[in-house]
Structure formats: structure tokens, C-alpha cells
Amino acid sequence: KINVTLGQRPTGLDWAKSGGSSADNDNGDNDNGSADNSSARGINVENLTPEVVQQLGLNAGIKGVVVTNVDADSSAADVGGIGRGTVIVAVDRHPVANVADFKRLMAQGQGKPVLLTTNNGGNTGFVVVQPK
């Protein structure tokens, strides 16, 4: 038996979009993606909106970015705990309020493991993403 909860998917996210290493618009310039489709270490994120918070069933005061895709070839995919709909609330214990914060903090961790504080369905977790 499998319990299933039906609901509407969040607006503003293209959940059907296929991922890939080219989705981060990196072009080798190490800018970790554009503001529209930010990616760092294979994790694509978007700003967390009140609509997405409601759709994910989270507390209204939560801050962070929502994961839209994880590149299957990235080190982030190797550790688990991060997937579409995961909210990243902190990088290396520094709060993340938006995509710009995420990009900046991930860039500061270049070449080192990065500790992500996540929220999956209201459950807080920690994931260490290694450089690849």
C-alpha cells in the first residue's frame, strides 16, 4: 500500500523540465548560472515564493530557495537528500534568502565541501555536497 496526497504543483516552476549539465547556463565562466536558472554544483534553484511555500505545505515564515532540478552527474545527486521541491535554507550555516544569496555562498565554497541546511516537507536536514 502506498499513501498518496494529491495537490496542485507550485506555479512558476517548470517541474516537467528535463535537467542536464547544460541547464545552468555556465558556459565555463564560473558564475554558477544566471538569475533565471541558477545552478551551483548541479543544483538548480529558484526564489521561494509564498505560493510555493503553500504548495509544499511549509510554514509561512520560511526563507530560502527551492530546488527545481539536480543534475544526475553532479556531486549533489550522489549524496541524496536534495531533490526537486527541497528548500535550501542555509549554506555553510549562513541563511539563504534568495537566489543571489545561494549563488554567492556557493561560490565562496569553491573547492571545499559545502554544508546545506534543507527543509523537505517540513523536516530539517543537513547535506554535505563535495566539490567534483
Side-chain angles (χ1 to χ4, degrees):
K1 290 185 176 182
I2 298 174
N3 293 327
V4 178
T5 303
L6 297 178
Q8 271 185 314
R9 66 179 165 185
T11 58
L13 299 176
D14 188 358
W15 295 99
K17 182 191 267 182
S18 62
S21 59
S22 63
D24 68 356
N25 298 326
D26 190 21
N27 298 327
D29 58 7
N30 292 324
D31 70 348
N32 287 323
S34 71
D36 296 51
N37 189 15
S38 293
S39 176
R41 296 196 191 183
I43 305 169
N44 292 37
V45 298
E46 289 185 4
N47 287 323
L48 190 59
T49 64
E51 294 82 14
V52 173
V53 169
Q54 182 181 13
Q55 293 298 323
L56 294 175
L58 302 173
N59 292 331
I62 191 168
K63 302 280 188 226
V65 292
V66 64
V67 175
T68 58
N69 186 54
V70 177
D71 184 353
D73 295 328
S74 70
S75 57
D78 296 341
V79 296
I82 301 175
R84 191 175 299 155
T86 298
V87 176
I88 298 173
V89 297
V91 174
D92 283 336
R93 298 188 181 118
H94 298 284
V96 172
N98 53 44
V99 171
D101 286 348
F102 175 77
K103 287 173 56 175
R104 178 180 49 80
L105 292 167
M106 291 296 281
Q108 288 176 358
Q110 292 291 48
K112 300 182 295 187
V114 176
L115 174 68
L116 301 179
T117 306
T118 62
N119 187 310
N120 280 310
N123 298 315
T124 301
F126 300 94
V127 176
V128 176
V129 179
Q130 300 290 337
K132 214 170 198 183

